Amino acid sequence: MALFPKSHFTLRTRILLFTGSLITIIMLGASAIILFSWRTLMLDNAIQSAEDISKAFAIPVIKEFIRNETESFRIEEELGSLINQYKSEDSNIKFIKILNNKNKIIAHTDWRKVNGFEKDSLDLAIDKTDKLISAFITDKKYGKIIETVYPLRIAGKKWGVMKVGISAKRLEAKIKDLFYMLSLSTVLVILGALLVLFLISARLTKALNELIVILENLDLDIEQTENSAPKTNETQFLFSKFEEMRSRLQHSKEELINAQKQIYQAEKLASIGRLASGVAHEINNPLNGIRSCLYSIEKNPENIKQNKEYMELINEGITNIEFIVKKLLGFARQKGESIERIDVNENIEKVISLLDYKIVRKNVEIIKNYKSGKISVEADSQLFQEVLMNIIINALDAVGEEGRIEIVTGKESKNVVVEISDNGEGIEESEIEKIFDPFYTSKEPGQGTGLGLSVSLGIIANLGGTIEVESKKGKGSLFRIIIPE
Amino acid sequence: MRSYAKIFFLIFVVLLIFTVAAFFIFQSITNFDRGFTMPELKEHTEKNYSDTVFIGVISRYTPEKIYQGYQPIMDFLSRRSKYLFELKLSSSYEQTISQLKKGEVTAAFLGTYLFVTNMDGNNLRAVLKPLNSNGKPYFRSALIVKRNSDIHTINDLKGKKLALPSTLAFSGNWLQKIEFKKAGFDIFQLKEIKHFHYHNSVAKQVLMGNFDAGVVKDRVANEYVGKGIKAILYSEPIPGSPIVISRKSDKEKVKILERALLSAKSDSSVKSWDTEFSNGFTKAENKDYLEIKKMILGEK
C-alpha cells in the first residue's frame, strides 16, 4: 500500500497547475497594465505632438492675419499657399483648414472645400474659448486621425479657427507593435517560468519520491545503508533526522520487548504463586502418606515384609512429589523466546494437568471438545501456555462448586480458534471493555495482579491474532483465542 | 490518463481565456477614438454693439505684442460701452496720424516724441496720458550700461558703442538732443550708434555686450536691473505716451473712451494690459507736452 493516498493530480501537477495559473494571471495582469499605461503615454504624446504642431503653425497664420490688417492683400490666397506648403513638409498632416469668424472656410488643403461653411456645437464652443482642443477621430476619408481645433486669437482679438488633421496610422501601428511585443514577451516569460517551475518541481518531487520509497521500505530492525540515502540536498537533512528517529524507535522497541518480558515473567511468577496453594496440597498428600509409612516403620521395624510395602509407598509418594515439582519447574522455567510450530491440544492438556488439583478440589467439570487431528500454530509454547493458564484460572475462579468449563478447539478460515467458556458469574457489560486494561482486576486484593489478560492479549497480538470476549452477568463468559495458523 | 485529460482541458481553458482576453485587449487598445472634450468656457456674453470704434496704434512693438498688450484695453472699453473697440494697426506712424486726421480712427496711442513733433501741424490733441507705478503721469529715459562697466558719465562714452531705440521715440533722441549738448559731447566721438526698433532690444544688446551703453525707458531699465544692467543717468520726468484725438474724432466716443480709461485702474483686467498702461490714465492736455517739445525741438 502506498504511504500517501493518491489524489487525482500528482503533487507536481498540482504545483504546475496552481503556480502556473498564478504566474499566468499575474503576467497577464502586469502586461495589461503595462500595455494600457504605455498606450496612454503614446496617445498623450501623440496628442501633445499634434497640439504642438498646430500651435507652431498657428503663429505664421496669425501673423498673416495681422499683416492683412496693415497691408491689403487676399488673405485667402496667402493662407492657402501657407497651409499647402506646411502640409507638403509633413506627410502626417492630412488636412489643414482655416475658418473665419463667420465659420466660412477661407483656406483648406483640399481647395474644393474653400468657401464652404462649418458650424457645429464644437465651433460654438470654440467661439467661447482660447484653448486648443483635440480628439482622436476615425474619419471616412482620412482614417484614424488626431484633429486639433485652435482658435486663432490674441487676447480678445479673434480672427478665426484653424483645424488640423494629423494621421494616427503610425501611432496605431506602434500600439499594435507594442501589443504584439508585449504578448510575445508575456508568452515567452510564462513559458520560461513554467519551464523553470517544471524543472524545479521535478527536482523537488524527485527528492520527495526518494524519501517516500525509503519510508515505504522502512524496517526498524534493519540499518539503512548509504545507498538508500537520498541523493538530493533537500531530503538528506530530512533523512538524517529520520534515521535518528528510527534509531530511537528501535531502541524504544527493544526496551519495550524487555519490559514485556519482565511483565510476562512477573505475571508467570504471580501465576505460580496462585498455583502454590494447590501444589502444597498435592505435595502434602504424599508427604502425609510418607509420614504415616515412616511412623509405621518406626513402630514395627522388624516387619520386613510390611516395611518393604511401606518403602514402596514412600517411593511412590516421592515420585508423585517429584512429578509435581517437575511440572511446576517446567512452567516457571524462563526460556528465551522460541517460536516454533506447537500442538494446540497438547499445550491445553499440559495446562489442565497443572491445574488439575484446583479442578478436582472445586469439583469442576472440564468438557473438552477438541478438533480431531493435530492443529498447530507458530508460537512460543511457554507464552501460549501462559495465555491458556490465565484464561482457565480466571474461569476456575469464576465458576462455583461443581461448575463447568468447556474447551473447544477448531479452525476458522486460516485461523486456529480456542474457545474457553464457563458457566460462572460472568462480567458486567460495562466492564467487558476494561478487562484487557493493565492492572484491571475484579478479584480481592492479593488474589490477582490485573496483568493476566493484558499480557495474554499482548502475546496473542504479537502472533497476529486476537482474543474476543462474550459475557453475560450470571450466565458465564466465553473467551475466543484466534491465532493465524 | 484521466489526469492528463484534465490537464489538457485546463490548458485549453487557460489558452481560451488568454485568447479571448487578448482579442478584447487588442480591440480596446486599437480603438482609441476619443471625442473632443469641450473646453472650459470663459464667461462670454453676446453683445450687440451699436458701432465699431477703431483705435490706432503705432508699431512700437511687434504686432503680436501690441495685440497682447493693447487688445485687453479694447476688450475693457467694449465691455464698458455700447461700442465695439478695435485696434487698427498701421505699418508706419505717418499712417496712424493720417488715419487720425481722416477720422478712420477715433483715437490713437502715440509716443511722446511723435506727438510733440506732430501735434501742431496735424491739429492733434492729447486727451489721456498713462500713470507710472508711482501714480505719476511721467516716465524717464535712462542711460544704461553693464553692471561692471567703466562708463560712469556721458564723457566716458568716448570711443564706445551706443544702442538707442527708434528715432521716433523720445529715448531715441534724448541723449543727442539734450544730454550731449549739456555735456558738450560730440556725437562723432562715439565709435558706433545704432537704433533698434524696441526698447527691450536695446537692453538686451547692452546686456549681451554688443553695445557699451544704451538708452531705454526707466520702466524697461528697471526690468533689467536685476539681470546685470545699471542706469547711470536719468532724464527729467517726461509726460507719458498720450492717447491722441483729432478734429475728426467723434466727441461722444472720445468721452466714453476717456471716462472708461480714467476709471480703469480699479478694473482687474489692467493686469493683462501693456505695462505702460497698467497703472491707469490721467487727463492730458497739449500744454503738458510743451516743455518737452521745446527741449527736443530746441525752441526758445
Side-chain angles (χ1 to χ4, degrees), chain B residues 24-265:
Chain B
F24 281 108
I25 288 171
F26 184 80
Q27 289 294 317
S28 173
I29 62 161
T30 52
N31 179 19
F32 46 81
D33 277 12
R34 191 199 294 169
F36 285 98
T37 306
M38 288 297 173
E40 195 178 322
L41 300 182
K42 285 184 171 179
E43 192 182 339
H44 184 87
T45 49
E46 292 292 338
K47 193 171 174 181
N48 292 319
Y49 299 104
S50 62
D51 197 4
T52 300
V53 179
F54 290 101
I55 305 294
V57 56
I58 54 164
S59 56
R60 50 170 53 181
Y61 305 119
T62 59
E64 291 81 7
K65 196 165 168 60
I66 287 173
Y67 271 111
Q68 280 167 1
Y70 288 67
Q71 183 62 41
I73 303 174
M74 299 302 108
D75 297 339
F76 166 77
L77 290 170
S78 299
R79 280 200 306 277
R80 289 289 186 94
S81 71
K82 59 184 179 182
Y83 300 114
L84 174 67
F85 282 78
E86 283 210 354
L87 285 173
K88 200 159 184 85
L89 274 64
S90 62
S91 54
S92 66
Y93 83 95
E94 291 94 342
Q95 191 182 4
T96 305
I97 290 170
S98 168
Q99 287 167 346
L100 260 177
K101 282 167 69 180
K102 289 178 185 171
E104 289 173 6
V105 294
T106 303
F109 291 92
L110 288 187
T112 301
Y113 183 84
L114 266 177
F115 175 63
V116 297
T117 53
N118 289 281
M119 59 192 280
D120 292 342
N122 296 292
N123 288 316
L124 303 180
R125 185 162 73 84
V127 289
L128 292 167
K129 54 185 176 183
L131 297 169
N132 63 18
S133 58
N134 297 320
K136 304 291 183 188
Y138 302 114
F139 76 93
R140 293 168 189 265
S141 289
L143 176 60
I144 57 168
V145 293
K146 283 183 84 170
R147 191 185 293 153
N148 56 358
S149 171
D150 56 357
I151 299 170
H152 304 291
T153 64
I154 295 273
N155 288 314
D156 293 336
L157 290 173
K158 196 181 289 182
K160 304 291 183 186
K161 294 166 78 175
L162 180 67
L164 297 172
S166 166
T167 53
L168 300 176
F170 174 78
S171 297
N173 293 279
W174 166 54
L175 277 185
Q176 306 94 305
K177 295 191 173 174
I178 300 171
E179 297 301 330
F180 282 178
K181 281 181 184 173
K182 281 189 199 169
F185 185 86
D186 190 344
I187 197 168
F188 295 104
Q189 289 178 291
L190 291 167
K191 184 181 179 185
E192 184 185 342
I193 185 165
K194 187 171 181 180
H195 290 272
F196 291 88
H197 214 61
Y198 314 116
H199 288 250
N200 280 313
S201 305
V202 172
K204 284 173 187 167
Q205 289 295 327
V206 174
L207 194 61
M208 287 189 291
N210 295 335
F211 286 82
D212 302 302
V215 177
V216 293
K217 278 187 175 180
D218 53 354
R219 179 172 51 79
V220 177
N222 290 339
E223 269 182 48
Y224 287 84
V225 163
K227 298 171 184 170
I229 289 288
K230 65 177 180 182
I232 58 168
L233 183 68
Y234 285 98
S235 70
E236 295 294 316
I238 309 297
S241 304
I243 293 177
V244 178
I245 59 169
S246 71
R247 283 181 177 174
K248 288 266 180 106
S249 298
D250 185 299
K251 288 185 174 55
E252 187 211 345
K253 290 172 184 170
V254 171
K255 265 191 180 175
I256 288 170
L257 171 80
E258 280 185 77
R259 199 162 47 232
L261 288 180
L262 284 171
S263 65
K265 199 176 175 183

Side-chain angles (χ1 to χ4, degrees), chain A residues 121-332:
Chain A
S121 57
L122 180 68
D123 295 306
L124 286 171
I126 287 295
D127 278 345
K128 299 170 186 175
T129 184
D130 55 358
K131 294 278 188 300
L132 184 151
I133 57 170
S134 48
F136 287 102
I137 290 170
T138 304
D139 187 271
K140 282 179 187 170
K141 184 176 178 184
Y142 303 113
K144 284 188 185 299
I145 56 166
I146 305 168
E147 184 173 344
T148 63
V149 180
Y150 192 36
L152 300 166
R153 181 195 292 269
I154 295 178
K157 178 69 177 176
K158 187 189 167 203
W159 290 275
V161 170
M162 181 179 74
K163 297 184 179 182
V164 181
I166 296 167
S167 173
K169 277 189 178 172
R170 273 170 59 188
L171 174 69
E172 188 182 20
K174 277 185 183 176
I175 289 174
K176 281 181 181 173
D177 287 347
L178 176 67
F179 173 80
Y180 296 137
M181 188 194 76
L182 267 176
S183 298
L184 184 65
S185 54
T186 303
V187 169
L188 287 177
V189 169
I190 289 172
L191 288 177
L194 289 178
L195 182 65
V196 171
L197 192 65
F198 182 79
L199 295 174
I200 290 172
S201 65
R203 183 183 162 84
L204 186 68
T205 50
K206 186 185 171 192
L208 282 174
N209 285 333
E210 278 178 13
L211 199 61
I212 288 167
V213 169
I214 290 166
L215 289 174
E216 279 187 326
N217 297 329
L218 177 72
D219 189 340
L220 283 179
D221 299 328
I222 300 170
E223 196 78 30
Q224 296 297 312
T225 61
E226 277 295 315
N227 290 340
S228 61
K231 307 293 187 293
T232 49
N233 291 335
E234 289 82 354
T235 50
Q236 270 173 1
F237 176 74
L238 267 178
F239 183 74
S240 65
K241 290 290 167 194
F242 176 76
E243 194 50 28
E244 281 175 24
M245 186 188 74
R246 191 193 64 76
S247 299
R248 287 206 302 272
L249 277 174
Q250 201 169 22
H251 181 67
S252 300
K253 187 185 172 189
E254 283 168 8
E255 285 184 342
L256 184 67
I257 289 167
N258 286 336
Q260 227 171 12
K261 279 180 183 171
Q262 285 169 11
I263 289 171
Y264 290 169
Q265 190 57 30
E267 175 55 22
K268 185 178 278 182
L269 291 173
S271 299
I272 289 166
R274 276 182 280 168
L275 282 171
S277 60
V279 169
H281 178 76
E282 280 209 48
I283 291 172
N284 263 344
N285 283 341
L287 278 177
N288 285 334
I290 290 168
R291 188 178 289 122
S292 296
C293 287
L294 287 172
Y295 180 76
S296 299
I297 291 168
E298 202 175 38
K299 283 250 179 176
N300 195 4
E302 286 86 14
N303 191 348
I304 301 299
K305 189 183 172 186
Q306 189 183 325
N307 287 349
K308 196 177 176 182
E309 284 175 9
Y310 282 140
M311 290 300 282
E312 281 174 6
L313 284 171
I314 288 168
N315 191 39
E316 191 182 339
I318 290 169
T319 306
N320 280 340
I321 289 167
E322 229 174 35
F323 179 69
I324 290 162
V325 170
K326 200 174 179 181
K327 279 200 291 182
L328 195 60
L329 282 174
F331 181 71

Side-chain angles (χ1 to χ4, degrees), chain A residues 99-104 117-119:
Chain A
L99 288 75
N100 66 12
N101 284 330
K102 292 174 181 170
N103 298 302
K104 181 184 174 186
F117 282 88
E118 249 181 42
K119 187 77 176 174

